[in-house]
Amino acid sequence: MERISWISQAINMNIVNYYREVISNIVLDEFSLKIDDIKNISFEFPKESDLGDFSTNAAMVLAGKLKKPPNEIAESIIHSISKNPDIENVNIAGKGFINIKIKRKVWQNLVHKIIQNKSSYGDADLGNKEKINIEYVSANPTGPLHVGHTRGAVFGDTLSNILNKVGYDVCREYYVNDAGEQIDKLAKSSFVRYQESCGINSVTIPEGLYPGDYLIPVGDKIKEIYGHDLLDKEESFWLPLVKKISIDEMLNIIKKDLKFLNIEHDVFTSEFDLLNDGFVEKIFKELNDKDLLYEGETSPPKGSDLKEWVKKKHILFKSKNFGDDEDRVVRKHDGSWTYFMPDIAYHKNKSIRGFKKMINVWGADHSGYISRVTSAVNAVTDNKASLEVKVCQLVRLTRGSEVVKMSKRSGSFITLKEMVDEVGRDAVRFMMVTRKNDAPLDFDYELVKEQTKDNPIFYIQYAHARICSVIRKVSEEKLFDIDDKYLLKSEINLLDKNDDIELIKIVSNFPRIIEQSALYREPHRLAFYLKDLASSFHSYWNLGNENADFKVINKDDIETSRARLSLIRSVGITISEGLSLLGIEALEELR
């Protein structure tokens, strides 16, 4: 019999998936089915907790295939489920919906398992150590990172953390677009700043170049290396020298900006290197050998000079063969490459390095480019590699109701560093994943500086800090030993109130949230979950302010206090682990 396996049985802390597996195997055995037959079966927490701990629509989903009434199928499933020693009761609701309640000891035991395993809580082996390349940021090295880059940077880095957590071998990559017209503009802009650094104040920055003050240090660097030697040289002489310095200096700025957000890439791949070492030409020949190129005419790209395109023969890639809506030019009539050909070669380079799974994180202005690149990946890898593209929509900055647009530093855009300097790394990282990546996001400077429950990152940090404060207080007053090895000896069965169990249930959902965030590439699920967990913890804590029986720490009942401290310790571990995946520090004290 073909079996289904959702989790590693070694730790068995993913309660939701464990019982999903139990039920799935019962259904497979009971009705001699295959795994594909049950792929649409849901296994969820019910909307109302009094209905049970889990609900499944298995009987209704299978009714058509088995040609039996849902209730008859449900009765068969219930008969087998009831034999499991963890099950307290099972019942049918409506036309075949099955509600399952497990014994409290299962929930209670989870608290000790979390404390015992700590940082491995939420681990999974979904990736099975498969290599996956995640390319994100990849901003042109022509200026500092701005708010648009920030969202993609945080999304890509958080997704990398999550995929690593569930067992993928993740490579974080930055593609450096260090070739082309924009790099010439960068070098020419830097040369103007070099002239200024040499005392020539009569020069102005021509229209079309980069006017930002961030290039002043680049000009100073050029002077430091060459003195005044370049001033009387022809452009053909100084341009390649200034390009190299400008790119290096801008990449240093970009890396420092990313460091402010606790982001570091494993690999920086240079477009110039791919062109310079002949790799792009090599892949072009490969495509030609596969009969995937042809000479023809096409409409000019938006914004192009019509004279370069009208009645001219270009070399086109047959991207329509791979799902694109039209064939694309890779080499223009004058022999120069379009930007598309180096991109094709770059993705071939990734596949040669062993990446069969690739994820690119792009800004909203690149969404029209998706089909041609995915078609190219299929072509150059013979459909052996896959590319997913996740597009991050725009971020709107506000101060209350006022929209913020201008930057003191750049004169036009808000830089990443300016955001971090004002509100802090943690606030920036959290807010950038509070909405699904393909939805526009509002970032309110005033909200993220508030110390209220309306500010989600403060509310979550406050929950963790409060837990740490309770543990410190118990230690200072020497009520009992609070080391984890002693908490593992607590009488966990004393967590017998409904509120205890409901909080454990929310904690138990963490591995499932991680799994879903990974499978659907949606880090915002984790941000929402942590906010809900923090809210549930605060409510649980506040019960003790209303009723002494619910106090977490009660000096007159040490054993119950130790059990409840174990519970909130498990909450703290979960919050800390969740925040670490978001790249955020779990504060032990509020600053």
Side-chain angles (χ1 to χ4, degrees):
M1 169 62 65
E2 195 174 8
R3 310 300 294 171
I4 188 166
S5 181
W6 294 88
I7 61 171
S8 168
Q9 296 297 314
I11 297 174
N12 203 7
M13 290 188 291
N14 192 333
I15 284 185
V16 179
N17 276 0
Y18 173 70
Y19 287 103
R20 177 197 290 165
E21 182 179 349
V22 169
I23 303 307
S24 297
N25 286 334
I26 285 173
V27 171
L28 290 172
D29 289 342
E30 187 74 21
F31 303 106
S32 299
L33 297 173
K34 296 182 178 179
I35 291 175
D36 282 348
D37 297 327
I38 65 170
K39 62 184 179 182
N40 294 323
I41 291 176
S42 68
F43 191 78
E44 307 287 343
F45 290 113
K47 292 181 179 179
E48 298 177 27
S49 60
D50 58 350
L51 294 176
D53 296 322
F54 303 112
S55 294
T56 179
N57 63 352
M60 292 180 285
V61 169
L62 296 175
K65 181 171 186 61
L66 298 176
K67 299 187 176 1
K68 293 181 180 180
N71 277 19
E72 181 180 332
I73 297 171
E75 290 289 353
S76 297
I77 294 173
I78 286 174
H79 177 73
S80 295
I81 291 175
S82 300
K83 297 175 183 177
N84 188 296
D86 294 342
I87 303 299
E88 185 169 304
N89 61 64
V90 191
N91 59 70
I92 302 173
K95 297 181 178 180
F97 221 88
I98 301 172
N99 293 322
I100 304 162
K101 189 173 185 64
I102 61 176
K103 293 177 180 177
R104 290 199 164 194
K105 68 177 183 180
V106 177
W107 299 113
Q108 293 162 346
N109 289 339
L110 179 65
V111 171
H112 278 170
K113 288 180 181 178
I114 294 171
I115 294 172
Q116 189 173 14
N117 294 281
K118 297 186 186 72
S119 62
S120 64
Y121 186 43
D123 283 4
D125 54 10
L126 291 176
N128 197 28
K129 302 302 180 185
E130 181 180 9
K131 293 177 67 174
I132 187 168
N133 181 285
I134 305 182
E135 181 210 324
Y136 55 104
V137 188
S138 295
N140 291 340
T142 55
L145 299 178
H146 57 64
V147 63
H149 302 130
T150 305
R151 188 176 187 187
V154 174
F155 175 87
D157 194 59
T158 304
L159 181 60
S160 297
N161 292 340
I162 290 170
L163 289 175
N164 185 67
K165 179 78 170 171
V166 299
Y168 284 95
D169 180 3
V170 177
C171 174
R172 305 158 193 256
E173 184 151 343
Y174 190 119
Y175 182 46
V176 184
N177 297 112
D178 52 0
E181 184 181 347
Q182 82 279 2
I183 298 301
D184 287 344
K185 288 171 61 177
L186 170 67
K188 292 174 183 178
S189 305
S190 298
F191 191 78
V192 174
R193 296 302 189 182
Y194 161 67
Q195 291 173 307
E196 291 175 344
S197 184
C198 291
I200 303 176
N201 297 317
S202 59
V203 295
T204 58
I205 298 175
E207 187 174 346
L209 298 188
Y210 302 117
D213 290 349
Y214 56 83
L215 288 178
I216 293 175
V218 180
D220 293 340
K221 185 71 174 179
I222 299 169
K223 181 189 173 187
E224 178 187 324
I225 295 172
Y226 290 104
H228 290 69
D229 293 350
L230 300 182
L231 292 176
D232 59 353
K233 296 294 191 294
E234 295 293 327
E235 181 180 298
S236 59
F237 179 85
W238 60 253
L239 188 64
L241 303 175
V242 172
K243 272 186 188 181
K244 177 68 168 63
I245 296 170
S246 300
I247 292 169
D248 289 346
E249 291 300 302
M250 293 314 305
L251 278 177
N252 285 336
I253 291 173
I254 287 170
K255 289 176 182 180
K256 286 179 183 177
D257 285 350
L258 290 172
K259 189 70 174 175
F260 288 130
L261 278 177
N262 197 25
I263 294 174
E264 293 185 67
H265 289 81
D266 301 313
V267 176
F268 285 78
T269 298
S270 162
E271 178 185 2
F272 177 81
D273 288 347
L274 293 176
L275 288 162
N276 198 46
D277 66 8
F279 188 75
V280 175
E281 184 72 43
K282 176 185 176 183
I283 302 308
F284 177 81
K285 290 179 179 177
E286 270 190 28
L287 293 175
N288 194 49
D289 291 343
K290 291 180 178 181
D291 194 28
L292 293 175
L293 301 178
Y294 68 96
E295 188 177 50
E297 296 181 12
T298 185
S299 55
K302 186 178 180 181
S304 297
D305 186 346
L306 287 176
K307 293 179 182 178
E308 288 188 20
W309 290 82
V310 174
K311 296 182 179 180
K312 299 287 177 65
K313 295 284 188 180
H314 309 283
I315 304 299
L316 286 81
F317 164 58
K318 298 178 181 179
S319 52
K320 286 174 68 175
N321 290 6
F322 301 91
D324 197 2
D325 54 357
E326 63 178 288
D327 293 339
R328 307 289 179 175
V329 176
V330 291
R331 188 170 235 164
K332 292 186 278 188
H333 69 95
D334 61 3
S336 63
W337 302 117
T338 63
Y339 56 83
F340 184 36
M341 189 61 226
D343 281 354
I344 296 175
Y346 169 50
H347 287 86
K348 174 67 172 183
N349 174 270
K350 288 184 185 181
S351 71
I352 290 172
R353 285 185 277 140
F355 297 107
K356 304 307 178 190
K357 285 186 183 294
M358 310 172 198
I359 299 175
N360 288 358
V361 181
W362 291 350
D365 56 338
H366 288 77
S367 57
Y369 194 50
I370 295 174
S371 60
R372 72 189 70 177
V373 177
T374 53
S375 70
V377 171
N378 291 335
V380 296
T381 67
D382 297 320
N383 294 307
K384 292 176 182 176
S386 64
L387 169 67
E388 295 177 62
V389 177
K390 306 302 291 185
V391 173
C392 289
Q393 286 295 333
L394 302 176
V395 179
R396 188 180 74 147
L397 300 177
T398 63
R399 295 186 190 278
S401 59
E402 182 182 347
V403 176
V404 180
K405 293 182 178 179
M406 301 301 290
S407 164
K408 293 179 182 178
R409 186 183 185 199
S410 70
S412 59
F413 53 79
I414 305 297
T415 66
L416 180 157
K417 187 175 185 302
E418 286 171 326
M419 292 182 68
V420 175
D421 284 346
E422 180 164 349
V423 302
R425 180 193 72 196
D426 290 349
V428 172
R429 286 201 63 130
F430 187 84
M431 295 306 293
M432 288 296 165
V433 290
T434 52
R435 294 206 70 187
K436 191 175 179 182
N437 60 283
D438 58 4
L441 183 147
D442 286 340
F443 187 104
D444 186 344
Y445 278 100
E446 300 307 317
L447 173 63
V448 298
K449 290 190 284 188
E450 289 180 4
Q451 293 196 343
T452 69
K453 67 178 182 179
D454 293 328
N455 176 1
I457 183 56
F458 169 79
Y459 203 47
I460 295 166
Q461 294 279 32
Y462 179 36
H464 188 267
R466 176 179 259 181
I467 291 167
C468 293
S469 175
V470 174
I471 293 172
R472 280 195 304 272
K473 186 176 180 181
V474 169
S475 179
E476 289 166 2
E477 296 183 2
K478 299 181 179 179
L479 294 179
F480 49 82
D481 290 317
I482 51 86
D483 286 346
D484 286 347
K485 64 180 180 180
Y486 291 106
L487 292 181
L488 289 172
K489 297 176 182 178
S490 60
E491 296 184 30
I492 213 72
N493 60 300
L494 295 174
L495 297 173
D496 58 355
K497 297 188 182 300
N498 288 337
D499 295 283
D500 299 324
I501 301 301
E502 289 305 312
L503 182 57
I504 297 172
K505 285 184 184 180
I506 295 170
V507 172
S508 77
N509 203 26
F510 178 66
R512 179 169 170 265
I513 294 296
I514 299 302
E515 180 184 278
Q516 291 178 332
S517 298
L519 288 172
Y520 299 108
R521 320 303 197 214
E522 293 181 349
H524 71 279
R525 292 174 182 251
L526 176 56
F528 288 163
Y529 167 79
L530 290 175
K531 184 181 177 183
D532 289 343
L533 177 58
S535 178
S536 298
F537 165 73
H538 288 304
S539 297
Y540 179 80
W541 177 266
N542 291 335
L543 287 173
N545 297 330
E546 302 164 8
N547 186 333
D549 290 342
F550 287 92
K551 279 186 174 295
V552 173
I553 304 300
N554 184 345
K555 295 180 181 179
D556 297 327
D557 189 347
I558 295 299
E559 287 308 318
T560 299
S561 297
R562 198 197 321 248
R564 286 185 176 157
L565 190 70
S566 299
L567 171 53
I568 68 168
R569 169 75 174 127
S570 73
V571 174
I573 289 170
T574 306
I575 291 176
S576 177
E577 190 60 22
L579 288 176
S580 73
L581 293 174
L582 297 181
I584 295 171
E585 181 184 2
L587 299 179
E588 296 188 5
E589 293 182 88
L590 294 180
R591 295 162 183 162

